[in-house]
C-alpha cells in the first residue's frame, strides 16, 4: 500500500485529527484580501483546492495584527471584522467539497511587512505609498538600502504574543481544526531565532537559548489557549554562514515538542539576501529528516516535491510523515487525484466529479457509480 495514501493521526489535547492520506496543501499567500478580510478570490481558491484530494488544506499566512501583514492585500485575523469575513468564505467553500481538515498559518511579517505586491516589485512600501511602520527584534533592515524596523519593546512583544493567542482562539471559533505558527521565511519569529536579524542585548538575544525564548513563549501561550492540532513552520537553515542552521532547528524542535507541539513543517531561507540556496528536487528533505530524527515529532517535508513517486519515496525513506505542496497545486489543482492514480490510492471526491475519471484511473474515487436513462 502506498504510504502517501495511508492514514496518519495528528495528536492534540482535543483528541487529534485522523487524516486519510499524507498530502497537505501548503500555505500560499494570495494577496487578495481587502483590509485583511477574505474575499471572493479566497472562496474560489479554497473551494477549488478543497477538491484537490489532499487530506489537509492550510490557509495562507494570516496576520495576527494589521502591521504584521506582508502586503496591504494580505489576509488577517485580528478583529471581529476579519473573523466574520474568514468565517463566511470558509463555510461557503466547505459546502462545495468533501470534508477535509483545515489548518491556518498564523503570522507576523516583522521587518518584512509593509511590502508591495510581488507583481508590483515586492519592495518595502513608504508611507506615501500606503506603507506602515515595521517592527523586528532589532533595528536591522532586511536589505541594506531600507529603513530599519523599530526594535520591539518588551511590552510590544507581549502584545504580539497575545495577538497570536487571540487569533488562534478566533480560528477555533471558526471551526478550523489546526493552527500552524509561522516561524520561517524571515518573518518575525524567524527573525528572533536568527542571529542575522536578532542582535538584542537583553534576555531575547545573543545565545541560542535567548533567541528561541520569544518563539517558545508565543508557542506556549497559543498551546494554553488552543486545544486543536498545533504545529510550527520553521526555516531549518538561513543558508548563510553563521546564521540559523539545522542543528539549532533540531534542538528547537525538541523544545517545542516538550511544550506540546503536534507537528513541525520544515522549510528554509528568507531572512537574508545573502542566502545561497542549493536548489534542487526535494532540496529541503534532508533538513526534515534531521529535525524528525532529533525530535520524534510528526514532520512535514516541503520544497520542490512535485510528483507522486518522489513524494512516496520521501515517506518510504522515513524522511517525513507528511508531504506539503504549494505551487504544484496551483499548477495542477487535482494533484491528489493524479497521485492516487499513479500510486493506486483513493481520494474522496464530490459526486459532481465522479464521471470525470479516464478509463485507466477508474478506481481513484473508490467504489462509486453513476446512472442515467
Amino acid at each position: 500500500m502506498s504510504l502517501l495514501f495511508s492514514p496518519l493521526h495528528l495528536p492534540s489535547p482535543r483528541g487529534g485529527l485522523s487524516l486519510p492520506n499524507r498530502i497537505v496543501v501548503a500555505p500560499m499567500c494570495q494577496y487578495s484580501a481587502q483590509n485583511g478580510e477574505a474575499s471572493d478570490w479566497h472562496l474560489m481558491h479554497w473551494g477549488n483546492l478543497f477538491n484537490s484530494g489532499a487530506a489537509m488544506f492550510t490557509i495562507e499566512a494570516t496576520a495576527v495584527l494589521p502591521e504584521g501583514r506582508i502586503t496591504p492585500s494580505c489576509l488577517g485575523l485580528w478583529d471581529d471584522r476579519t473573523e466574520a469575513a474568514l468565517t463566511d468564505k470558509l463555510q461557503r467553500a466547505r459546502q462545495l467539497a468533501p470534508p477535509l481538515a483545515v489548518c491556518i498559518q498564523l503570522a507576523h511579517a516583522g521587518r518584512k511587512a509593509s511590502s508591495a505586491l510581488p507583481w508590483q516589485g515586492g519592495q518595502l512600501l513608504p508611507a506615501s505609498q500606503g506603507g506602515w511602520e515595521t517592527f523586528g527584534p532589532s533595528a536591522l533592515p532586511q536589505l541594506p538600502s531600507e529603513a530599519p524596523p523599530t526594535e520591539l519593546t518588551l511590552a510590544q512583544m507581549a502584545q504580539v504574543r497575545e495577538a497570536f493567542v487571540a487569533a488562534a482562539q478566533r480560528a477555533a471559533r471558526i471551526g478550523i481544526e489546526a493552527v500552524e505558527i509561522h516561524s520561517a521565511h524571515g518573518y518575525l519569529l524567524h527573525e528572533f531565532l536568527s542571529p542575522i536579524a536578532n542582535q538584542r542585548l537583553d534576555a531575547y538575544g545573543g545565545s541560542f537559548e535567548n533567541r528561541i525564548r520569544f518563539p517558545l513563549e508565543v508557542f506556549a501561550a497559543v498551546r494554553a489557549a488552543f486545544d486543536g492540532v498545533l504545529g510550527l513552520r520553521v526555516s531549518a537553515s538561513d543558508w548563510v554562514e553563521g546564521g540559523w542552521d539545522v542543528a539549532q532547528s533540531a534542538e528547537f524542535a525538541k523544545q517545542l515538542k516538550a511544550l506540546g507541539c503536534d507537528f513541525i513543517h520544515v522549510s528554509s531561507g528568507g531572512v537574508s539576501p545573502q542566502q545561497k540556496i542549493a536548489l534542487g528536487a526535494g532540496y529541503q528533505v534532508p533538513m526534515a529528516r534531521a529535525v524528525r530524527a532529533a525530535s520524534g515529532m510528526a514532520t512535514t517535508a516541503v520544497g520542490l516535491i512535485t510528483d507522486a513517486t518522489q513524494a512516496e519515496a520521501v515517506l518510504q525513506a522515513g524522511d517525513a510523515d507528511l508531504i506539503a505542496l504549494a505551487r504544484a497545486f496551483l499548477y495542477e489543482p487535482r494533484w491528489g487525484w493524479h497521485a492516487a492514480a499513479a500510486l493506486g490510492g483513493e481520494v474522496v471526491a464530490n459526486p459532481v466529479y465522479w464521471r470525470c475519471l479516464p478509463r485507466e484511473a477508474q478506481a481513484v474515487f473508490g467504489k462509486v457509480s453513476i446512472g442515467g436513462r
Side-chain angles (χ1 to χ4, degrees):
M1 180 179 177
S2 161
L3 278 181
L4 190 63
F5 288 93
S6 65
L8 177 72
H9 184 78
L10 290 175
S12 78
R14 186 192 301 166
L17 281 174
S18 293
L19 304 179
N21 62 54
R22 310 296 185 93
I23 304 170
V24 177
V25 179
M28 293 176 276
C29 289
Q30 296 299 293
Y31 309 106
S32 298
Q34 299 161 1
N35 297 317
E37 296 179 31
S39 68
D40 284 349
W41 177 269
H42 293 95
L43 173 61
M44 180 279 298
H45 176 64
W46 297 344
N48 190 24
L49 291 183
F50 286 4
N51 283 285
S52 66
M56 187 162 70
F57 176 90
T58 312
I59 295 173
E60 66 194 85
T62 303
V64 300
L65 289 167
E67 62 269 25
R69 292 172 294 166
I70 304 167
T71 76
S73 297
C74 283
L75 192 63
L77 187 57
W78 61 72
D79 60 12
D80 292 346
R81 176 182 52 83
T82 50
E83 180 182 340
L86 203 156
T87 301
D88 172 67
K89 302 303 185 293
L90 181 58
Q91 288 180 347
R92 292 164 63 193
R94 281 184 139 168
Q95 291 170 2
L96 304 175
L100 87 166
V102 175
C103 178
I104 188 169
Q105 186 185 66
L106 298 181
H108 189 300
R111 69 182 188 177
K112 292 178 76 173
S114 189
S115 298
L117 297 175
W119 48 89
Q120 294 174 355
Q123 298 305 298
L124 180 66
L125 284 172
S128 61
Q129 296 178 27
W132 57 88
E133 183 181 10
T134 62
F135 297 88
S138 301
L140 299 171
Q142 175 74 14
L143 299 174
S145 60
E146 294 177 351
T150 300
E151 181 172 314
L152 286 165
T153 66
L154 295 181
Q156 289 169 330
M157 289 167 59
Q159 291 171 351
V160 169
R161 183 182 65 242
E162 292 311 308
F164 272 94
V165 170
Q169 292 171 325
R170 291 182 185 278
R173 285 201 295 269
I174 292 169
I176 292 171
E177 293 93 345
V179 165
E180 177 179 288
I181 295 175
H182 200 352
S183 190
H185 301 165
Y187 300 124
L188 183 64
L189 297 184
H190 180 193
E191 292 165 17
F192 270 90
L193 295 176
S194 174
I196 293 172
N198 181 355
Q199 295 180 17
R200 297 177 72 95
L201 301 177
D202 61 7
Y204 293 92
S207 67
F208 169 77
E209 291 74 15
N210 283 359
R211 285 182 282 110
I212 67 172
R213 191 183 308 278
F214 184 59
L216 289 179
E217 288 179 355
V218 170
F219 182 88
V222 174
R223 176 78 286 174
F226 179 76
D227 64 358
V229 171
L230 179 61
L232 180 139
R233 193 174 201 184
V234 65
S235 274
S237 173
D238 288 341
W239 296 96
V240 177
E241 187 175 353
W244 181 259
D245 58 24
V246 176
Q248 293 176 85
S249 297
E251 180 58 33
F252 180 48
K254 289 194 288 185
Q255 298 200 34
L256 285 166
K257 186 179 182 183
L259 292 175
C261 192
D262 301 314
F263 71 91
I264 189 157
H265 186 170
V266 180
S267 189
S268 70
V271 84
S272 170
Q274 304 302 315
Q275 64 188 16
K276 292 180 173 60
I277 300 178
L279 284 175
Y283 70 104
Q284 293 172 158
V285 171
M287 302 179 197
R289 178 172 61 244
V291 170
R292 182 178 187 262
S295 69
M297 201 183 333
T299 302
T300 305
V302 70
L304 291 184
I305 300 171
T306 57
D307 67 61
T309 54
Q310 180 191 12
E312 179 71 16
V314 171
L315 298 176
Q316 291 287 352
D319 294 338
D321 304 280
L322 292 158
I323 303 295
L325 300 95
R327 292 173 177 86
F329 270 115
L330 292 183
Y331 187 72
E332 178 44 78
R334 304 289 176 263
W335 190 92
W337 299 7
H338 295 291
L343 298 174
E346 291 184 6
V347 296
V348 178
N350 191 309
V352 173
Y353 289 138
W354 284 359
R355 66 187 186 276
C356 79
L357 293 176
R359 186 175 300 277
E360 66 272 16
Q362 286 295 304
V364 166
F365 297 158
K367 294 181 179 180
V368 299
S369 62
I370 56 174
R373 66 182 183 90

